[in-house]
Amino acid sequence: MSVAAALQDHVQARDLDQAVADLMSAAATVPGLARRLEQAGVDPTAITSVAALSELPVLPKDSVVDLQREDPPFGGMLADGADVVRVFQSPGPLYEPQLAGADSWRWGQVFSALGVGEGDTMLNALGYHLSPAGAMMEAGGLATGARVLPGGIGNQDLQVQAIADLGVTAYAGLPSYLKALVERFDEAGLPRERWLLDKAMVTAEPFPDSLREILTERVATVRMAYGTGETGLLAYENGDGAGLVLADGVLVQVCEIGTGVPITDETEGEVVVTVLRPDYPLVRFGTGDLSGWMVGPDGSLRLRGVLGRTGVAVKVKGMFLHPAQIASVMAGVSGVADYRFVVGRVDHVDTLRCEIVPEPGADADALVTQVGPKVRDGLRFRAEVVAVSTLTTGNGPILDTRDWD
C-alpha cells in the first residue's frame, strides 16, 4: 500500500474530516484562531475536512511565544471558560495550559499499549518543575490504573532503593536515564531479584539501536513514544518494529517546510499538529520536528520517528536549548567577549559545555564561577563552564557534536 492510500484510510478510519469540521464549528470564534483565519482569508465555515484545514498557514512554535507576549498569557488561543488545572513554562518562555480531564494529553494510550495497568507501579522519571512532561506521564499512568512514583530527575540512590522496595514494574522517562538507573542499582549492591521493572516507555531524546540493546538486556519491553509539551502524545511504537503508530485525539500531518503543504509520500517534512479540542484549539501547530511517513506491516500509517529539527533549537537531555534564550542569559554577564555552548554525548548521556572568551583584563576564574549559576537558573541546564582564548568561527552559539550511531 502507498503512503497516499494509507493517509486516506487513516483519515477515514478515524473520521478526521468530521473531527476537523466539529472543531472549527466550536472553536472558530476563539480570538487567537479567529485572527489567524481572518489574516489568511480563510472562511471557517468552509473548513469541513482535513484538506480544507490545510489551507491555513502553519503556526510556528516561535510565533506562539510572540503571541503570548503580545496577548498574555496564552496568546488568545484559549476559549472563554476553558478549565485550566495547571500551567507550565517551557523554554521561550512558552506557557502551556493543562486542560481538565483525566488524561488530557492522551499518554494513557502508549502505557496501555505497553501493558501498564492495575497492579503496576510506574516510576515517572521526567521533570515536574515548570515542565509539563512529568504531569503528562503521571496522568497517562494513572489513566491505566497503575500507581505512579513521581521520581523526576535526580536522587538516583533514592530512586533505585524505591525500585527495589516498592517492586516498581514500569518506567517513563529518558532512555539514557533508565540506563543510569540500571547501573546505579547494580552499583548499590541491591539484589537482582528485586529488580522487577520489565516495561518502559522512553521519550524526549533519540533512541539508537545500541542503547536499545543495552536496555533490553534488563528490561524486557522498551518502547519509544513521541510527543511535545504543547500537543501531548502524537505517536508511539507498538512493538512490531515498524515506525510509530499515530495517537487518537489529534491530527498529525507531515508538511513541506516553508509552504505548509501536506506531504503524501515518504519525503521528509515538518510535523504539524492540530489538537482536536475546542477549549484550546491549537491548529496547524508547527512542532519544528522533522519526520516522514511510512506504511506499517498492517497497512496503517506510521511516522518514521523524529529525524531532526527544522529550526535552530537543539534538544539536550530532553529539553530544548534555544539561541534566543542563550542570548538573553548571557547578555546579563559582563566581561564575556564571546561564548558558545557545545553539546556532546558520552556513554549515551548528553553533555553540555559552555565556552566563554573573557574580555581583555577580565578575571577568567571569576567569570567561570559567575556563568555556571546563571546558565542553571536561566536555561535550566547544568553546564561545564570553561574559559577559552578563541572560538571556532561559523558554528553559532550552539555546536552539536553528538553522534547517534
Side-chain angles (χ1 to χ4, degrees):
M1 178 182 290
S2 69
V3 164
L7 266 166
Q8 184 176 8
D9 287 351
H10 176 75
V11 170
Q12 292 176 348
R14 304 205 185 182
D15 205 11
L16 290 175
D17 283 338
Q18 187 60 54
V20 165
D22 292 344
L23 175 69
M24 297 308 298
S25 176
T29 58
V30 174
L33 179 57
R35 284 195 296 268
R36 289 179 61 202
L37 291 165
E38 182 179 6
Q39 291 167 359
V42 175
D43 179 2
T45 63
I47 301 179
T48 57
S49 65
V50 173
L53 182 69
S54 300
E55 297 297 318
L56 188 66
V58 172
L59 177 66
K61 183 173 182 175
D62 287 348
S63 294
V64 177
V65 175
D66 294 337
L67 289 172
Q68 290 188 353
R69 290 196 188 108
E70 296 165 4
D71 186 7
F74 300 116
M77 294 187 293
L78 197 66
D80 289 341
D83 190 358
V84 177
V85 294
R86 288 193 182 107
V87 179
F88 298 96
Q89 183 198 72
S90 290
L94 177 62
Y95 294 101
E96 294 117 348
Q98 178 185 345
L99 302 171
D103 185 20
S104 58
W105 280 301
R106 308 174 309 282
W107 283 88
Q109 297 175 52
V110 66
F111 293 123
S112 293
L114 185 61
V116 177
E118 293 183 10
D120 281 305
T121 298
M122 184 181 84
L123 171 61
N124 182 4
L126 286 169
Y128 280 76
H129 298 150
L130 293 178
S131 166
M136 286 183 170
M137 302 309 145
E138 178 174 292
L142 293 175
T144 70
R147 296 178 293 271
V148 176
L149 175 63
I153 297 174
N155 299 316
Q156 290 182 14
D157 288 333
L158 296 177
Q159 290 188 22
V160 296
Q161 189 65 55
I163 288 171
D165 292 345
L166 299 175
V168 168
T169 53
Y171 169 90
L174 303 179
S176 60
Y177 193 74
L178 178 56
K179 177 177 179 291
L181 289 177
V182 170
E183 293 170 348
R184 187 63 62 90
F185 188 97
D186 293 343
E187 290 167 359
L190 294 166
R192 181 67 69 90
E193 62 268 18
R194 295 174 67 186
W195 176 275
L196 303 179
L197 204 163
D198 63 353
K199 41 191 174 286
M201 188 286 300
V202 297
T203 189
E205 66 181 10
F207 188 32
D209 289 342
S210 55
L211 181 53
R212 189 188 294 268
E213 290 174 4
I214 292 171
L215 292 182
T216 52
E217 289 178 358
R218 192 64 164 269
V219 182
T221 305
V222 184
R223 294 182 187 170
M224 183 179 70
Y226 164 51
T228 77
E230 303 81 21
T231 63
L233 176 69
L234 300 178
Y236 56 93
E237 292 180 335
N238 70 350
D240 66 9
L244 307 178
V245 300
L246 296 171
D248 290 326
V250 65
L251 169 63
V252 178
Q253 298 175 293
V254 176
C255 297
E256 293 179 0
I257 298 169
T259 69
V261 174
I263 292 171
T264 59
D265 57 20
E266 293 84 359
T267 306
E268 291 179 15
E270 181 180 14
V271 178
V272 174
V273 178
T274 297
V275 179
L276 300 171
R277 289 196 60 156
D279 42 2
Y280 185 53
L282 194 58
V283 176
R284 295 267 289 162
F285 172 77
T287 63
D289 293 325
L290 283 173
S291 191
W293 294 124
M294 63 178 289
V295 179
D298 59 355
S300 66
L301 186 68
R302 310 280 181 96
L303 281 177
R304 297 207 305 270
V306 180
L307 307 177
R309 292 283 300 169
T310 65
V312 291
V314 174
K315 186 170 277 190
V316 184
K317 299 180 181 179
M319 293 180 58
F320 282 111
L321 182 64
H322 197 290
Q325 297 170 265
I326 293 173
S328 176
V329 168
M330 298 303 293
V333 183
S334 59
V336 175
D338 204 354
Y339 59 84
R340 179 174 62 194
F341 283 74
V342 181
V343 185
R345 193 160 174 89
V346 177
D347 197 20
H348 297 292
V349 177
D350 288 346
T351 62
L352 184 63
R353 183 175 72 252
C354 174
E355 299 177 343
I356 59 172
V357 179
E359 292 180 348
D363 185 332
D365 291 339
L367 282 176
V368 167
T369 302
Q370 181 184 4
V371 168
K374 285 189 172 294
V375 169
R376 185 175 62 251
D377 295 340
L379 299 177
R380 288 187 262 165
F381 285 102
R382 293 185 181 275
E384 175 194 11
V385 183
V386 296
V388 298
S389 58
T390 59
L391 298 177
T392 304
T393 59
N395 289 318
I398 304 175
L399 175 61
D400 192 347
T401 66
R402 291 173 293 186
D403 184 350
W404 296 106
D405 291 336

